[in-house]
């Protein structure tokens, strides 16, 4: 009876089902970008801003972000130090949120530069946090697909821009993203 | 009376059930065809080996973007080189190709696709040759008789060529539409990201 009760009292210490193999790698990689509000808002903001900037940018930014983020991730995996990662991530939410809120339309290369710079920080953070036992291929696929889907979610939201009410809604989304970024920068989140 | 009849009927069904249970192992509704085992596993090999699948996918995307779409010569190079490379694994000259080289091949092709600039025709042949050599030399069949090894390699060769030709044709079918070309470039960008991360993983394991 005592042993039986112990089983019920201590269930959380048990971990009989470990994530291993290909599925574990994919699920682990897929979940990783989705388990941080800071990452989510930045990636959605990239999609939102892209939708604001026009058709070319709408697809250019989601191409730039994962590639540069992967380079940042590689630096993180290889333990190459990068200063100010946390601040860079918080600033990414603020800057990208402001860009969306202000409906800013800089030249495409400037937008790509801004997005690419922040992608390095996000990638580096992911790279240093990722599990050592993960299956490299499936982890990378899950990670990139989740990131891409967050961009697509942002683009889908940004497409509301074609209606007046939608435009205000998208800009309000930018304000919320900037506020979340401020929350991270000043330690409220 | 009715009870007796139903009892008899139940008894008959029970006997039939017992017979089924007794002789179920004799039944063989699904027959295996001799030789498919090796060919089948050969077909599955490039599809289930992530770096191989990545190279095949990227090469297909690359070939599909060529205007006008003509995969005749590139596929001739691909099928010839892959056949030679697969046969070279039989004497045991090549055990495996380093995953870093395979990922590097996929990365190189993906960069060409993502950039989206037109490239000379010979570059397609070179890419096909390099990709076929990389996958072929990395597809050594496990031990077995000559016939079994040849069947496995035949399956691998069929899968390699079938996947590239089919995917290239499918992508090229809607390739003239802007959304399709954009989607291909985005897919290539994602493959670049995957390859970069995989390379980082490889180098971390080495260090």
């Amino acid at each position: 009876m005592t042993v039986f009760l112990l089983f019920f009292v201590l269930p959380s210490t048990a971990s009989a089902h470990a994530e291993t193999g290909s599925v574990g790698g994919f699920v682990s990689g897929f979940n990783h970008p989705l388990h941080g509000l800071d990452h989510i808002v930045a990636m959605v903001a990239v999609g939102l801003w892209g939708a604001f900037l026009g058709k070319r940018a709408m697809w250019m930014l989601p191409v730039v972000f994962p590639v540069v983020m992967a380079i940042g991730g590689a630096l993180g995996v290889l333990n190459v130090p990068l200063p100010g990662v946390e601040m860079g991530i918080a600033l990414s939410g603020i800057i990208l949120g402001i860009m969306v809120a202000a409906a800013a339309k800089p030249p495409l290369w400037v937008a790509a530069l801004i997005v690419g710079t922040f992608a390095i920080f996000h990638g580096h953070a992911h790279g240093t946090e990722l599990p050592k036992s993960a299956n490299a291929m499936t982890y990378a696929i899950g990670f990139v697909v989740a990131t891409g889907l967050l961009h697509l979610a942002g683009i889908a939201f940004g497409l509301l821009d074609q209606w007046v009410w939608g435009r205000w809604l998208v800009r309000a989304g930018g304000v919320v993203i900037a506020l979340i970024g401020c929350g991270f920068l000043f330690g409220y989140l | 009376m009715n009870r007796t009849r139903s009892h008899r009927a139940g008894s008959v069904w029970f006997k039939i059930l017992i017979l089924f249970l007794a002789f179920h192992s004799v039944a063989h509704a699904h027959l295996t065809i001799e030789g498919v085992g090796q060919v089948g596993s050969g077909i599955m090999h490039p599809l289930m080996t992530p770096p191989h699948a990545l190279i095949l996918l990227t090469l297909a995307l690359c070939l599909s973007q060529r205007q006008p779409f003509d995969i005749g010569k590139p596929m001739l190079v691909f099928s010839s080189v892959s056949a030679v490379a697969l046969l070279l694994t039989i004497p045991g000259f090549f055990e495996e190709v380093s995953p870093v080289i395979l990922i590097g091949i996929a990365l190189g092709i993906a960069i060409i696709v993502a950039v989206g600039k037109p490239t000379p025709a010979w570059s397609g042949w070179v890419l096909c040759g390099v990709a076929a050599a990389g996958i072929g030399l990395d597809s050594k069949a496990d031990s077995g008789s000559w016939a079994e090894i040849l069947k496995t390699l035949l399956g691998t060769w069929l899968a390699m060529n079938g996947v590239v030709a089919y995917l290239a044709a499918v992508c090229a079918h809607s390739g003239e539409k802007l959304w399709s070309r954009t989607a291909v470039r985005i897919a290539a960008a994602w493959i670049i990201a995957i390859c970069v991360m995989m390379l980082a993983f490889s180098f971390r394991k080495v260090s």
Side-chain angles (χ1 to χ4, degrees):
Chain A
M1 185 66 185
T2 312
V3 175
F4 189 67
L5 282 174
L6 271 174
F7 272 124
F8 277 97
V9 171
L10 304 173
S12 58
T13 50
S15 195
H17 173 228
E19 280 189 7
T20 53
S22 299
V23 174
F26 179 83
V27 172
S28 180
F30 191 85
N31 279 335
H32 205 258
L34 305 177
H35 279 183
L37 186 62
D38 47 346
H39 296 301
I40 293 175
V41 293
M43 289 165 206
V44 171
V46 169
L48 276 177
W49 195 24
F52 253 143
L53 286 171
K55 273 187 183 170
R56 226 178 132 214
M58 189 162 69
W59 301 114
M60 171 70 91
L61 299 187
V63 166
V64 169
F65 196 95
V67 173
V68 182
M69 190 182 69
I71 293 169
L75 295 175
V77 168
L78 297 170
N79 291 322
V80 176
L82 186 68
V85 172
E86 293 303 321
M87 185 171 283
I89 290 172
L91 281 175
S92 71
I94 298 172
I95 303 291
L96 291 171
I98 289 173
M99 291 295 171
V100 174
K105 289 188 177 178
L108 191 51
W109 67 269
V110 175
L113 191 67
I114 293 171
V115 164
T117 305
F118 290 132
I120 290 266
F121 293 115
H122 284 273
H124 192 277
H126 288 309
T128 49
E129 290 165 4
L130 62 82
K132 285 191 175 7
S133 60
N135 178 309
M137 175 80 176
T138 51
Y139 183 93
I141 291 173
F143 180 77
V144 171
V145 168
T147 303
L149 289 177
L150 284 173
H151 290 320
L152 290 179
I155 289 172
F157 186 24
L159 289 176
L160 294 175
D161 163 60
Q162 53 192 304
W163 293 285
V164 176
W165 61 268
R167 193 169 181 78
W168 284 107
L169 202 61
V170 173
R171 293 179 75 167
V175 172
V176 171
I177 288 169
L179 287 175
I180 290 173
C182 287
F184 280 113
L185 187 64
F186 297 111
Y188 293 115
L189 291 172
Chain B
M1 183 75 175
N2 282 342
R3 268 185 83 179
T4 312
R5 194 177 291 164
S6 68
H7 179 74
R8 275 185 194 157
S11 175
V12 170
W13 283 115
F14 182 71
K15 283 172 187 166
I16 291 171
L17 181 65
I18 292 291
L19 275 173
F20 270 125
L21 289 172
F23 291 101
H24 74 282
S25 58
V26 181
H28 243 306
H30 170 229
L31 295 172
T32 50
I33 302 165
E34 199 179 341
V36 165
Q38 282 78 40
V39 177
S41 59
I43 287 174
M44 294 310 290
H45 184 262
L47 306 177
M48 301 300 287
T49 312
H52 294 194
L54 209 57
I55 292 175
L56 294 175
L57 172 65
T58 319
L59 185 66
L61 291 178
C62 183
L63 294 179
S64 73
Q65 297 306 292
R66 300 194 157 270
Q67 296 294 337
F69 176 65
D70 177 18
I71 58 168
K73 283 179 186 169
M75 280 309 297
L76 190 64
V77 173
F78 186 76
S79 56
S80 313
V81 176
S82 58
V84 172
L86 286 168
L87 290 173
L88 279 175
T89 61
I90 297 177
F93 293 144
F94 296 94
E95 286 296 319
E96 61 175 22
V97 178
S98 164
V100 174
I101 294 175
L102 294 174
I103 299 165
I105 293 171
L107 178 62
I109 302 172
I111 288 172
I112 292 171
V113 179
V115 169
K117 298 283 181 198
T119 51
W122 59 265
S123 68
W125 308 341
V126 172
L127 292 178
C128 283
V130 171
I135 299 174
L137 295 175
D138 194 47
S139 301
K140 186 177 185 294
D142 292 334
S143 58
S145 67
W146 272 86
E148 285 172 349
I149 289 175
L150 282 175
K151 282 175 190 171
T152 308
L153 294 180
L154 174 67
T156 304
W157 184 82
L158 286 172
M160 286 170 67
N161 287 273
V163 166
V164 171
Y166 176 73
L167 284 181
V170 167
C171 293
H173 184 65
S174 51
E176 289 176 9
K177 292 166 187 160
L178 182 63
W179 68 263
S180 170
R181 297 183 75 83
T182 311
V184 166
R185 290 180 71 179
I186 289 177
W190 289 14
I191 291 171
I192 292 171
I194 290 166
C195 290
V196 168
M197 290 202 67
M198 283 176 68
L199 283 175
F201 268 107
S202 307
F203 286 123
R204 182 175 73 172
K205 278 174 186 167
V206 169
S207 61

